[in-house]
Amino acid sequence: MRMPQLDPEDAAKVDVDQVCKMVDMFIENGFTYFDTAWMYNGFASESVAKKALVDRHDRDSFTLSTKLHCGFFDSEAEREKYFETQLTNTGAGFFDYYLIHGIEGEMIDKYEKFDCFGWLLEKVKEGYVRHPGFSFHDKPELLDKILTDHPEMEFVQLQINYLDWESEWVRSRECYEVAVKHGKPVIVMEPVKGGTLANVPAEAKALFDELDPSMSVPSWGIRFAASLPGVMLVLSGMSNIAQMQDNMSYMKDFTPLTEDEKKVCFKVADIINSQITVPCTACSYCTGGCPQKIAIPQYFSMYNEDMRENMDEKGWTVNMSNYETLTHSFGSAGECIECGQCESVCPQHLTIIKYLKDVAAYYGK
């Protein structure tokens, strides 16, 4: 989802050579699970998986997952073409794990209308899928209903990190507890919340350094998620070799967090929550259908950074220039026409239109 890019303004231009090196390192160190999806990296991710992974390694040396998203089919025939294209894109022959993707709100109605759960089980019978499951971005009450109605689903993928553990929007803990109640293994997504938990405020970093200065800041987020009973896997969108080396350094011989270490994670969450302005994970689901081609995640990231600055003293930040540069290639925040497309697909349920107005007002100065 966050592979290294050759062009920061075009997610589809992936640095395949670096991805190949990362894939080789990953497998050589005993790791096997690779996660992709139809729309990741500007719709290039599945094809890159073929080039970097499938074409270069024995099929039994890795496991591959991809997903069915309701935004890309409106009939059973379109859904079948979607799946066949995924098989072609990846060249994998079959998928070890296949997910009904990102269930939230009214999306479940469409998945049920086309009996996507039953369809997925047929793919298992046909040998095209080994393990059926789904990813989820909604309330624990809906998760409980889905797992009650579809006990045949073998696993569930949830957004879990120490920042969202008690979030009134994401409700990580409650969703996790529902999955545990139903006896479903959990795959964790967003363990470092799109990088938010890789760049914490100085006072938060100091707390981690007191525990163990040899551990990187993002390691605490990934290890927090991996320490939860019932978690089978933690996904990490590693964007370069250095990130992969860091992740492998503590996950190859994993040691769960102690209770005291978990308490420090929650203290860090309190610090971050007191300073973060826009809780965006930079998943970029919002950008694909934006008619104004606004670089929403990039603008929010810069805005969050600047909101942590003492602007009365500084008066100017490099992000002011960065914002201006981005507007030469993308729509500015002020060009939002309030169509609501972005908010309808945001897994975090953010009031994106309002935040864009804030960004436009700030950088408009």
Side-chain angles (χ1 to χ4, degrees):
M1 183 178 184
R2 298 184 173 97
M3 290 187 287
Q5 295 173 211
L6 295 171
D7 182 352
E9 296 183 3
D10 186 349
K13 292 183 178 178
V14 175
D15 184 348
V16 178
D17 289 342
Q18 187 172 180
V19 174
C20 287
K21 294 175 183 177
M22 294 169 71
V23 165
D24 295 349
M25 291 172 58
F26 199 66
I27 291 177
E28 287 167 5
N29 281 274
F31 299 99
T32 62
Y33 191 100
F34 294 84
D35 174 82
T36 184
W38 178 271
M39 74 289 291
Y40 289 174
N41 280 91
F43 299 89
S45 182
E46 289 180 340
S47 297
V48 172
K50 182 178 188 301
K51 295 175 186 176
L53 175 65
V54 178
D55 288 349
R56 301 174 60 252
H57 290 272
D58 292 338
R59 185 62 183 88
D60 61 358
S61 69
F62 63 86
T63 54
L64 181 65
S65 77
T66 193
K67 310 170 183 79
L68 174 77
H69 193 286
C70 70
F72 301 100
F73 68 90
D74 287 299
S75 68
E76 291 181 358
E78 287 182 356
R79 181 183 62 193
E80 200 61 33
K81 183 178 180 180
Y82 177 117
F83 186 81
E84 290 172 358
T85 302
Q86 290 181 300
L87 286 172
T88 301
N89 285 346
T90 62
F94 66 92
F95 299 113
D96 300 273
Y97 297 83
Y98 196 89
L99 294 84
I100 294 174
H101 194 181
I103 297 175
E104 61 174 316
E106 296 178 357
M107 292 171 67
I108 186 62
D109 297 333
K110 187 171 184 178
Y111 288 131
E112 295 286 15
K113 174 184 175 182
F114 289 104
D115 187 25
C116 291
F117 294 94
W119 168 83
L120 182 51
L121 292 182
E122 285 299 313
K123 293 302 177 188
V124 174
K125 291 179 182 178
E126 294 169 1
Y128 290 114
V129 172
R130 296 270 174 93
H131 303 285
F134 63 94
S135 57
F136 185 81
H137 283 291
D138 209 301
K139 298 177 178 62
E141 293 82 6
L142 178 59
L143 178 61
D144 189 48
K145 183 178 186 305
I146 293 172
L147 289 175
T148 299
D149 294 345
H150 299 285
E152 68 276 10
M153 293 294 103
E154 295 182 12
F155 65 95
V156 60
Q157 185 166 302
L158 300 172
Q159 178 170 320
I160 295 177
N161 55 68
Y162 62 79
L163 188 63
D164 290 326
W165 191 243
E166 298 295 351
S167 164
E168 63 179 303
W169 302 108
V170 182
R171 299 171 73 181
S172 280
R173 175 182 57 78
E174 294 175 81
C175 287
Y176 162 75
E177 289 172 351
V178 168
V180 170
K181 182 184 79 170
H182 285 268
K184 299 300 180 183
V186 174
I187 294 177
V188 172
M189 55 183 162
E190 300 292 355
V192 293
K193 200 171 173 67
T196 297
L197 303 185
N199 296 288
V200 301
E203 60 182 303
K205 183 178 184 301
L207 292 178
F208 285 143
D209 286 345
E210 283 183 28
L211 289 174
D212 188 343
S214 70
M215 299 301 296
S216 67
V217 171
S219 74
W220 295 98
I222 294 173
R223 290 166 63 222
F224 172 86
S227 298
L228 296 169
V231 167
M232 63 173 278
L233 179 77
V234 178
L235 297 176
S236 176
M238 294 170 279
S239 300
N240 55 54
I241 289 174
Q243 290 178 5
M244 173 165 285
Q245 289 174 326
D246 178 57
N247 283 4
M248 290 193 302
S249 70
Y250 51 83
M251 290 304 292
K252 189 173 181 179
D253 187 17
F254 175 67
T255 301
L257 296 186
T258 66
E259 289 304 311
D260 285 342
E261 288 172 330
K262 290 177 185 177
K263 289 177 182 178
V264 171
C265 287
F266 292 133
K267 288 181 181 179
V268 168
D270 290 339
I271 294 171
I272 296 172
N273 278 322
S274 71
Q275 298 185 20
I276 195 168
T277 306
V278 185
C280 170
T281 68
C283 69
S284 294
Y285 287 7
C286 57
T287 56
C290 176
Q292 302 299 92
K293 301 189 184 309
I294 299 171
I296 299 170
Q298 293 95 320
Y299 293 162
F300 286 169
S301 176
M302 292 187 292
Y303 184 64
N304 278 336
E305 288 180 10
D306 281 1
M307 290 303 99
R308 289 197 290 265
E309 299 281 358
N310 185 341
M311 294 307 295
D312 290 336
E313 292 183 3
K314 249 187 169 179
W316 180 88
T317 72
V318 69
N319 282 331
M320 293 178 177
S321 293
N322 292 338
Y323 175 83
E324 175 66 22
T325 299
L326 274 178
T327 61
H328 296 160
S329 301
F330 300 96
S332 69
E335 292 178 84
C336 172
I337 59 174
E338 302 185 29
C339 66
Q341 181 277 337
C342 54
E343 294 187 357
S344 71
V345 297
C346 176
Q348 311 305 318
H349 310 289
L350 301 181
T351 53
I352 295 175
I353 294 170
K354 173 192 173 297
Y355 285 133
L356 283 175
K357 289 179 179 178
D358 294 340
V359 172
Y362 174 75
Y363 288 111
K365 295 176 184 178

